[in-house]
Amino acid sequence: MNATPELFDRDALRLHRARARQDALFLHLAAQEEVQDRLSMVNKSLTKPAIITPFPEIWRPVFPDARIVDDSDVLALEPGSFDLVIHAMALHWANDPVGQLIQSRRALQPDGLFLGVLLGGGTLNELRSALGQAETEVTGGLSPRVAPMSEIRDLGALLQRAGLALPVADTVPLTAEYRDLRHLLRDLRDMGETNAMTKRLRRPTGKAVFNRAEELYRTHFATDSGRLRATFELACLTGWAPDESQQKPLRPGSAQARLADALKTSEVPLKD
């Protein structure tokens, strides 16, 4: 049997990242702030960190003692060696995100913390809509242009599938504004976030598609000042390596008191 085709072309992704500009990686800086904010709320000393990132120059100054690991399919992490693993802005390009989470969990010591930040499902919804409609109108077809990104409910389920305890998934919406479509696409190139899907269109796209996409973008997503709004959604994932010291949910039916009594209200049975 043939192997399942991979969604992302990792060779193309490496080329895109190689030409990224450090001064364009504002999403990584926003992710750093989210990570530091969440770590500040952890009532525990974490001294053995590892960071999975394609841009170590961005993350190393903030975590100088961390092991920096490339986001390859097989992560260079020894089992049970870290009390903190940060997956930094790379999971949305993983062909096997569950595998990445499982490897991260195995690298954690008991009661170690996993923190992941990636682009979520609301990212570039304006660009996806405008390009999709424009290509359909102009060419009569539709090709993969903006990578599919996971919704928050799916990401929470991935944490559970990976065996992480006390899983939490939430999102942080960010908005940027651009002069025109060309400005947005150039910024994505400078971030290393352009199309690296395996089934992407391999021939140049005609100007008519981009011209029509610009019209649609301005019609539906322009700001009052005439600039183009672009949404970037940071999905933040938190989970712990299982440990006996952690709180555990009670078994169904083990409650010793009725919720209705605590609330001083009457209980009304639901209809079948």
Side-chain angles (χ1 to χ4, degrees):
M1 295 178 63
N2 294 330
T4 303
E6 295 184 334
L7 179 60
F8 300 116
D9 180 347
R10 297 289 298 183
D11 290 334
L13 181 60
R14 278 188 285 272
L15 291 174
H16 295 172
R17 287 171 170 175
R19 68 186 184 192
R21 296 171 40 140
Q22 188 165 342
D23 59 359
L25 301 180
F26 68 90
L27 292 176
H28 285 257
L29 299 180
Q32 279 181 8
E33 292 182 4
E34 291 301 322
V35 167
Q36 291 175 297
D37 183 55
R38 282 162 169 73
L39 288 176
S40 70
M41 294 184 287
V42 175
N43 188 24
K44 180 179 180 178
S45 177
L46 301 171
T47 60
K48 298 179 181 178
I51 302 178
I52 303 160
T53 175
F55 295 108
E57 66 276 11
I58 292 291
W59 290 84
R60 186 175 284 115
V62 182
F63 298 92
D65 298 326
R67 165 83 67 82
I68 302 294
V69 178
D70 183 64
D71 68 317
S72 56
D73 292 336
V74 179
L75 301 176
L77 294 172
E78 297 82 10
S81 298
F82 305 94
D83 57 11
L84 171 64
V85 172
I86 300 171
H87 210 305
M89 294 298 290
L91 263 175
H92 55 280
W93 286 117
N95 281 308
D96 182 13
V98 176
Q100 293 276 301
L101 293 175
I102 290 174
Q103 291 179 74
S104 298
R105 176 184 59 77
R106 288 175 177 169
L108 287 169
Q109 298 170 349
D111 204 31
L113 174 62
F114 171 83
L115 263 173
V117 186
L118 65 154
L119 293 180
T123 298
L124 297 176
N125 62 79
E126 303 92 349
L127 180 63
R128 191 191 311 272
S129 175
L131 276 176
Q133 183 176 341
E135 188 174 20
T136 301
E137 291 180 9
V138 174
T139 70
L142 186 63
S143 60
R145 293 186 179 275
V146 180
M149 298 173 193
S150 299
E151 298 294 337
I152 194 65
R153 61 181 178 275
D154 301 321
L155 292 170
L158 293 185
L159 291 170
Q160 292 181 312
R161 286 179 59 188
L164 288 160
L166 309 174
V168 176
D170 62 279
T171 59
V172 179
L174 303 173
T175 303
E177 295 182 4
Y178 294 92
R179 293 187 303 273
D180 49 34
L181 186 59
R182 184 187 299 272
H183 184 199
L184 169 57
L185 296 177
R186 184 171 64 249
D187 206 26
L188 293 175
R189 181 196 62 195
D190 290 343
M191 296 179 200
E193 296 287 346
T194 46
N195 190 355
M197 285 185 286
T198 301
K199 293 186 177 181
R200 67 191 182 279
L201 190 67
R202 302 299 179 111
R203 62 178 184 275
T205 299
K207 290 183 179 180
V209 172
F210 289 114
N211 290 341
R212 179 56 178 151
E214 173 98 23
E215 294 174 358
L216 292 166
Y217 210 130
R218 289 197 176 279
T219 298
H220 298 288
F221 307 112
T223 66
D224 292 340
S225 61
R227 295 172 69 85
L228 303 185
R229 183 181 72 249
T231 299
F232 297 95
E233 183 180 79
L234 295 184
C236 303
L237 312 180
T238 305
W240 295 83
D243 186 70
E244 287 300 320
S245 66
Q246 293 167 352
Q247 295 181 347
K248 296 177 177 60
L250 295 174
R251 296 190 310 275
S254 62
Q256 300 300 311
R258 296 169 65 249
L259 179 60
D261 294 339
L263 297 176
K264 297 181 179 180
T265 185
S266 58
E267 186 176 2
V268 179
L270 296 176
K271 296 181 180 179
D272 294 335

